[in-house]
Amino acid sequence: MRNLSFVLAMLLVVAVAACKKDPAPNPSPNPTQKATADKALAGKKAEPKKAADTSLPGDPLAGEKIFKEKGCMACHGADGRGNGGVTAADFVKEPERLAKDNKDLLHSITNGITKGSRVMPAHKGTLSEKQIKDALSYVRKQFGSKK
Ligand code: HEC
């Protein structure tokens, strides 16, 4: 009697194991679910660690005058594309530029920034802090990604 129940128990174990191994079609993930998961992941990746301050630090109208009259436009071009990215950053092709925090951009304009053969001189000797803020406001308003 004891042997029989043992055999039956073994049979049950084997049967269960066989069922588990049954080549149950591996259900491919529901496409909608997958897309949602991908989206969630992408959203997570795109999320900046700390949102940059991309507000207008000054008056864009006053800044337009500075941009046009104080030399910014010579390098950056009326269209903000730096003459094809040759004389300055191309704000259209390099949107990450204006995605930077005001603090960083004001620092670049104030103290200058160089990359390879492209040079932006420091403006602290020629423009006031307010003029630099106004000029950046115009650049942001005119060439920043429209949200
Ligand atoms: C002599 C040419 C020149 C002038 C004048 C000039 N820039 Fe630039 N600017 C550049 C170059 C070149 C770069 C990009 C350098 C690089 O690729 O890092 C740049 C970059 C910038 C950036 C992005 C900085 C960053 O950190 O990414 C801003 C904003 C900017 N300029 C605004 C201005 C404003 C406003 C003025 C006028 C007050 C001005 N520029 C005048 C050449 C110029």
Side-chain angles (χ1 to χ4, degrees), residues 4 8 16-17 23 29 37 45 47 55 86 88 90 101 105 109 117 121 123 126-127 130 132-133 141:
L4 185 63
L8 280 175
V16 167
K45 264 187 199 160
E47 211 163 63
S55 63
V86 175
D90 181 341
D101 195 278
L105 293 181
I109 302 168
S117 56
H123 287 86
T126 49
L127 298 177
K130 181 185 181 306
I132 291 174
K133 283 183 175 171
K141 190 152 185 261

Side-chain angles (χ1 to χ4, degrees), residues 21-44:
K21 267 193 211 139
D22 218 17
N26 199 4
S28 57
N30 174 338
T32 330
Q33 251 175 23
K34 193 170 181 300
T36 313
D38 284 352
K39 232 186 206 169
L41 204 69
K44 224 174 200 171

Side-chain angles (χ1 to χ4, degrees), residues 71-72 75-76 87-89 91 97 100 105 108-109 113 115 118-121 123 127 135-136 139:
C72 315
C75 294
H76 285 279
T87 52
F91 292 135
R97 291 294 189 157
K100 289 190 193 175
L105 293 181
S108 295
I109 302 168
I113 178 171
K115 193 175 173 192
R118 299 194 308 196
V119 178
M120 173 157 71
H123 287 86
L127 298 177
L136 176 60
V139 167

Side-chain angles (χ1 to χ4, degrees), residues 1-139:
M1 203 50 195
R2 201 172 160 270
N3 263 348
L4 185 63
S5 46
F6 178 74
V7 168
L8 280 175
M10 282 312 285
L11 272 175
L12 193 69
V13 167
V14 170
V16 167
C19 273
K20 274 201 177 147
K21 267 193 211 139
D22 218 17
N26 199 4
S28 57
N30 174 338
T32 330
Q33 251 175 23
K34 193 170 181 300
T36 313
D38 284 352
K39 232 186 206 169
L41 204 69
K44 224 174 200 171
K45 264 187 199 160
E47 211 163 63
K49 277 179 217 139
K50 187 178 159 286
D53 178 8
T54 58
S55 63
L56 301 186
D59 174 8
L61 262 180
E64 178 172 10
K65 218 163 138 48
I66 295 160
F67 187 85
K68 290 179 175 166
E69 295 172 4
K70 300 286 183 183
C72 315
M73 196 165 78
C75 294
H76 285 279
D79 57 1
R81 306 206 62 168
N83 300 300
V86 175
T87 52
D90 181 341
F91 292 135
V92 178
K93 227 165 119 184
E94 304 166 44
E96 66 274 15
R97 291 294 189 157
L98 297 182
K100 289 190 193 175
D101 195 278
N102 278 334
K103 197 160 49 73
D104 298 331
L105 293 181
L106 291 171
H107 182 272
S108 295
I109 302 168
T110 306
N111 301 296
I113 178 171
T114 302
K115 193 175 173 192
S117 56
R118 299 194 308 196
V119 178
M120 173 157 71
H123 287 86
K124 57 185 167 194
T126 49
L127 298 177
S128 71
E129 208 174 303
K130 181 185 181 306
Q131 284 176 310
I132 291 174
K133 283 183 175 171
D134 290 345
L136 176 60
S137 302
Y138 173 73
V139 167

